[in-house]
Amino acid sequence: MESTVTSAPPATSPGTQANEPERLTFPRIECRDINVFYGDKQAIFDISLPIPDRSVTALIGPSGCGKSTFLRCLNRMNDTIESCRVEGQIIMDGENINDAAIDPVLLRSRVGMVFQKPNPFPKSIYDNISYGPRIHGLAASREDLDGMVEKSLRRAGLWEEVKDRLTAPANSLSGGQQQRLCIARAIAVQPEVILMDEPCSALDPVATARIEELIDELRKRYCIVIVTHSMQQAARVSQRTAFFHLGILVEMGETDQIFTNPRERRTEDYITGRFG
Amino acid sequence: MVQQLGHLPMGWLMLALLAMMASGAFFVGRVQAERFSAAGSGRFHSRPNYHGYYVAMWTVVPALVMAMAYGLLGDDIVRALLRRELPASFSAMPPIELSVYLDSISRAASQGGFSGSDRIFSAITNRFLELQGVIKTVTIGLTTLCAGSGFLLARRRVAPGFRARNKVEGGMEAFLFLCAAVAIATTVGIVASLLYESLRFFAQVPIWDFLLGTRWNAQTSAEFGALPLFFGTFMIALIAMLIAAPVGLFAAIYLSEYAGPRVRGSVKPILEVLAGIPTVVYGFFALLVVAPTIRTIAVWINMTLINAGVTSEPFLAAQPTSALAAGLVMGIMVIPFVSSLSDDVINAVPQTLRDAAYAMGATKSETVKHVVLPAALPGIIASLLLAVSRAIGETMIVVMAAGQRARISADPTADLTTITVQIVALLTGETEFDSPKTLSAFALGLVLFVITLIFNLIALRVVQKYREKYD
């Protein structure tokens, strides 16, 4: 327990700030002492983690280590699970989003999410993208909405492939295209943060490469948190990496540092494939 | 002595015989196979047990065929033999009377012989018992013979290279196929008899007069225009669906999307209890509670309208039995069909779709309205169609609460009659089987069958397409 406290963010962040001032000027999200319980079972123990803006933070760790659960705290998706209880503070824009006064519906329009398996709605491509803007009343007119759909699809790198068949059902797209559609759908709501829960685990290497390029492109505008099982992916796309094990944040820091010179023995063992 | 044999309890005897032969044959087959393998004569294809099953199979099946033949024909053979020996005076009797007489003989025989004063009757009964004794003895002998020869033949095949396992598997498959064939054959038989009798009816009454005629009066005068019946059926089904579709659907949405596991765990079984209430109970509820209430309300509306000077005649029919009463209660009856099936299809919508909507900041009702319901729509439609076909075929409620009068009237407080009610009315009481009155029941049954079949087929088709989409 002591070792986790010593490797906690406040000790490391000043140093990293000095190294890369343009990236880590200000944490977009500040998590303090997060504990998550499923019924009586505790899944996450006292996790404190700052998440910087306009960069990619990767959460890695073996299955069942709590990284997805932690990710789902950031947009309060855990609210949809009956037995789940979240304690601790998650500060975003000076507000604790765990506060009962915060409306999770509004929060989720600021924190978008992309899931493990592509999950387009069984509607047309156009309707998938326009759904978010419609329910949040973001578009003033039909032309406005068309523009938003185009912009979102362009940012997700899908526009050229689907511009001639926007009315086709989204299920007719390939797996990789569907996942980019889901990213476009999340972007269309104009979020500030995008959470990705193993977005490439159901995709082939070519589609994975496209999504990774896209993530690298998106980090210029958004704060991105990605859960991944692939160490190479974490190394390729992220600037900061946090290693979870058994519900505990073992180590976090610059991705380069984590992968080349981890401070913790457990991190090294996991990264080199000795367990996990 | 032979007469005593007539009292043999054939059912139990056969059963015991079959069980004994089966277990005996099984052990013989197995022991023989084991002996071969102990002697080390090559490697056995099948394990000893399968040889046992194989021998038992060939012992029991021929015996079973014999036993079934006895069950089907035994009594007829005894009667035929007896009839040949009857005194000449009996051959002058009309066939129906003779068969009634023989029935009473067989009843007396089964009660242990007749000891009354009628000497002729008593003699015939004793002869009947004698003949029965002979037939029973012969049957038991033949059964044993069949079983024995089957047993011997099968036992000779027990050998290391013999594929007993495959044979037993084949026998198992044949048995299962037979069970399935029984259900299919019954359905085919029912449809065939419906068709046959309907054709006889249509030979007497033109089919278009039946389907499009507007006057139905099968009981008194021969008027067979079934259109009022179709109208009544659909009117009541429509009222039922107006209740069941929204209530059932919203209940399903509540149960699958909003209710917590504890509420769901108790409400769902309660809702399904509704499906277990016998329809006759719904029927008298409709007749004794709902119909009088509707009548009272209708009378009150009539009075109010007349007092207000809107009309001078009563506006509503306000009958003691009414389409509305039957329809309302039927609607309540089919709610569980809609809610249970819809609940299943809503639950089958992948959770990832809901997560996607929630993650975009959709509220619960937006998620249900825009994502869950459209995805579940085909299944919901199927559940509604199944409920409709259920409502159309429902009998007891309408018999009790809808009335007997065949007419086309849009007034829901008027009494109507339906296809099912008329079938019941036509076939209860005194019936003769070749009058158009009775035959018309078959034609109505055929129409009912075709309608529900179409609804079920569409529903099944829709459900199938829906499955393909998500599996």
Side-chain angles (χ1 to χ4, degrees), chain A residues 105 108 119-120 123 131 136 185, chain B residues 352-353 356 358-361 370:
Chain A
V105 167
R108 289 178 199 144
N119 54 356
K123 301 167 185 280
Y131 181 65
H136 292 294
R185 184 174 67 182
Chain B
T352 54
L353 282 185
Y358 289 139
M360 294 175 64
H370 300 139

Side-chain angles (χ1 to χ4, degrees), chain B residues 428-442:
Chain B
T428 45
E430 290 281 308
T431 52
E432 23 178 336
F433 260 86
D434 10 2
S435 75
K437 180 192 144 193
T438 315
L439 289 176
S440 70
F442 287 94

